[in-house]
Amino acid sequence: MILQGRKPTVFISSTCYDLKHVRNDLKNVIEEDIGLETLLSEYYSFPIDPSIGTVENCLRIVEQRADIFILIIGSRYGSTLDNGKSITNLEYLRAKAKGIPIYAFVDKTIIRNIPLWKSNPTMDFSSVVDSPQLFNFTEEVMAIDSVWIHEFEVSKDISTIIKSQLSYLFFDSLELRKSIKNSSISKKVEERSPSAIQLVLEKPLAWEYRFFSQILSDELLMCKELRKDVQYRIFMEFTDPICDLDKLKDWAIENNNKLLRIVNALSTLINEAFPKAIGDLGEPSDLDFLVYIVERISKIYKSIIDLQINISSTTIPESAQKAIECLVMIYDSVLNDIERMQEEIANAISQIPEQTTENSDSFHITIPLILNEFDTSEFIEEFKKLYIDD
């Protein structure tokens, strides 16, 4: 979607104390010389949510506010979290998942020592880095993710390069804007992610299927944090406790019936709506219809999570806990099924070549749009035990 009335925002990610002057110099260049907004966690202008922690705030800002991501790797990896990664590492992963432009800068000393570290990983590098994990992180960015790396010695090196690179990005953005204006893309499609719009503009082989896969992936990714709420039992609201077993039975059955209705709607979208939207071979697809289907799948996905949260946050008798856990697991199996379907679609489409030639071999791809029937037997058995015992 083309937004107007807002400057692009640049998130500068690095360890703070050792690169304080580099970060400050870069902030001044980006804001004063280039005219963009910057986000640096050490400044009072960094928007925080006081209800969550430091790491969550940084990741939230990358997700919600960052348009451009600048990664600076110096001699410090920084303190690690329980998952073994630093905040800078996690910020980078969030920016990569979001799909925004990433410009990476690595201290020349680190670059020079990587070959030595790879040959002698147990060698003492404490005079160069605070943790060998920094070499792992740099190698991940360079070799695994294939992000273009710029070496630097002083902050001016970064400023000079970023001015040039942002000018190229500006030109590319103008060309993309021109392409969108000259195309027949609807407002509904225009609001999709840049990766999805690129597929519509470039039209690679099987681009309609690629478009569907991309927007489905984008929508489910945005729900990832909601699933963590259930996993870690992060509940902001609590319903009234249910103490009466008869009321509990009606409540549980109603929630199970809600899931049945939701899954039926999901099945209709997949088995009836999708074939109509994608069209027959050789016919144009209805992109607005495809967007509608994905938006509804996403809405269903979120509603299942909301039901999970509602059930999990309700206080019930201890004797009924096992039965309710079984009900929550049923909901979880449907969510896993939707995620599996999305992954299988993406994997199937990844096997399609970008284009064919006269000498290309023919190929056949099956797009898996199948939902498994969820099993309620354990839930029913646990409820039977509950009322027999009663």
Side-chain angles (χ1 to χ4, degrees):
M1 178 171 56
I2 299 175
L3 298 176
Q4 296 179 344
R6 183 175 77 80
K7 295 179 181 179
T9 302
V10 181
F11 190 101
I12 300 176
S13 176
S14 73
T15 49
C16 291
Y17 298 109
D18 59 319
L19 295 170
K20 180 179 179 181
H21 296 300
V22 173
R23 292 167 63 86
N24 185 63
D25 290 348
L26 187 57
K27 177 182 187 295
N28 291 335
V29 168
I30 291 173
E31 291 185 349
E32 297 175 13
D33 295 354
I34 303 176
L36 306 184
E37 301 289 346
T38 59
L39 287 167
L40 294 94
S41 58
E42 66 268 36
Y43 284 85
Y44 71 88
S45 57
F46 192 79
I48 65 167
D49 179 348
S51 66
I52 59 177
T54 303
V55 177
E56 290 80 5
N57 263 301
C58 291
L59 299 182
R60 178 183 64 86
I61 294 302
V62 172
E63 181 66 40
Q64 297 179 1
R65 298 283 299 274
D67 301 306
I68 298 166
F69 188 85
I70 295 179
L71 172 66
I72 306 173
I73 300 177
S75 61
R76 295 187 69 253
Y77 184 64
S79 57
T80 58
L81 307 175
D82 292 341
N83 59 9
K85 297 186 182 298
S86 69
I87 297 178
T88 301
N89 197 331
L90 293 175
E91 289 170 347
Y92 162 74
L93 292 174
R94 186 60 59 90
K96 185 179 74 167
K98 188 178 179 182
I100 59 178
I102 295 174
Y103 298 98
F105 298 86
V106 180
D107 190 300
K108 280 188 176 181
T109 304
I110 306 302
I111 297 294
R112 292 194 193 105
N113 278 276
I114 282 182
L116 182 60
W117 165 76
K118 292 174 72 174
S119 302
N120 305 276
T122 59
M123 184 176 167
D124 182 9
F125 288 94
S126 58
S127 62
V128 180
V129 297
D130 66 335
S131 168
Q133 186 70 3
L134 186 134
F135 289 129
N136 283 316
F137 178 34
T138 306
E139 185 71 3
E140 174 191 348
V141 176
M142 292 173 56
I144 299 176
D145 296 341
S146 300
V147 174
W148 189 283
I149 295 293
H150 301 278
E151 299 179 12
F152 77 94
E153 288 183 299
V154 294
S155 60
K156 187 177 179 181
D157 297 337
I158 300 176
S159 300
T160 301
I161 292 170
I162 206 66
K163 283 182 181 180
S164 177
Q165 292 302 317
L166 289 181
S167 67
Y168 296 139
L169 180 64
F170 179 61
F171 178 79
D172 290 343
S173 300
L174 287 176
E175 289 297 300
L176 178 60
R177 188 177 190 277
K178 188 191 302 180
S179 298
I180 293 173
K181 287 290 185 182
N182 293 336
S183 71
S184 57
I185 295 177
S186 69
K187 289 291 182 183
K188 203 173 185 67
V189 174
E190 192 178 301
E191 292 173 352
R192 299 301 98 194
S193 70
S195 298
I197 294 175
Q198 185 176 3
L199 291 169
V200 177
L201 294 175
E202 296 181 355
K203 292 183 172 53
L205 191 63
W207 66 271
E208 297 98 330
Y209 291 91
R210 296 179 193 272
F211 174 75
F212 176 78
S213 176
Q214 181 65 54
I215 61 176
L216 181 59
S217 176
D218 293 338
E219 287 289 329
L220 294 189
L221 183 62
M222 289 190 289
C223 302
K224 202 171 183 180
E225 300 300 317
L226 291 175
R227 289 217 68 181
K228 287 181 181 177
D229 287 347
V230 178
Q231 181 183 354
Y232 296 106
R233 301 184 65 82
I234 309 299
F235 307 135
M236 305 302 172
E237 297 180 4
F238 295 88
T239 55
D240 293 334
I242 302 176
C243 301
D244 182 86
L245 287 180
D246 288 330
K247 289 183 179 179
L248 178 67
K249 180 181 179 181
D250 293 340
W251 174 78
I253 291 173
E254 174 58 25
N255 276 292
N256 190 54
N257 289 337
K258 284 180 182 177
L259 182 61
L260 283 169
R261 293 192 291 269
I262 287 171
V263 171
N264 285 336
L266 184 61
S267 178
T268 300
L269 286 170
I270 292 170
N271 297 318
E272 297 180 25
F274 177 77
K276 290 181 181 178
I278 204 70
D280 295 328
L281 189 64
E283 293 183 357
S285 299
D286 187 335
L287 299 189
D288 284 357
F289 199 177
L290 288 176
V291 171
Y292 163 82
I293 292 169
V294 168
E295 287 178 343
R296 289 301 175 270
I297 291 175
S298 175
K299 191 171 183 179
I300 286 171
Y301 186 87
K302 289 177 185 175
S303 68
I304 295 174
I305 296 175
D306 288 340
L307 287 171
Q308 268 192 318
I309 291 174
N310 177 267
I311 293 171
S312 300
S313 63
T314 301
T315 302
I316 59 172
E318 184 66 29
S319 59
Q321 195 64 48
K322 178 64 176 176
I324 297 304
E325 286 176 1
C326 291
L327 183 59
V328 172
M329 288 174 62
I330 294 172
Y331 281 76
D332 212 45
S333 70
V334 178
L335 293 173
N336 290 335
D337 218 23
I338 295 173
E339 292 169 359
R340 173 196 54 76
M341 181 184 71
Q342 182 270 318
E343 290 173 2
E344 289 180 353
I345 293 170
N347 289 336
I349 288 175
S350 69
Q351 300 175 40
I352 304 176
E354 292 277 327
Q355 57 186 2
T356 58
T357 64
E358 292 182 0
N359 298 322
S360 297
D361 295 330
S362 61
F363 63 91
H364 176 76
I365 294 291
T366 300
I367 304 297
L369 291 171
I370 301 171
L371 290 174
N372 297 321
E373 290 187 16
F374 57 88
D375 184 7
T376 61
S377 58
E378 189 175 0
F379 164 65
I380 293 171
E381 284 302 313
E382 287 298 328
F383 250 87
K384 284 181 179 178
K385 291 179 191 176
L386 178 65
Y387 288 94
I388 289 172
D389 293 342
D390 185 56

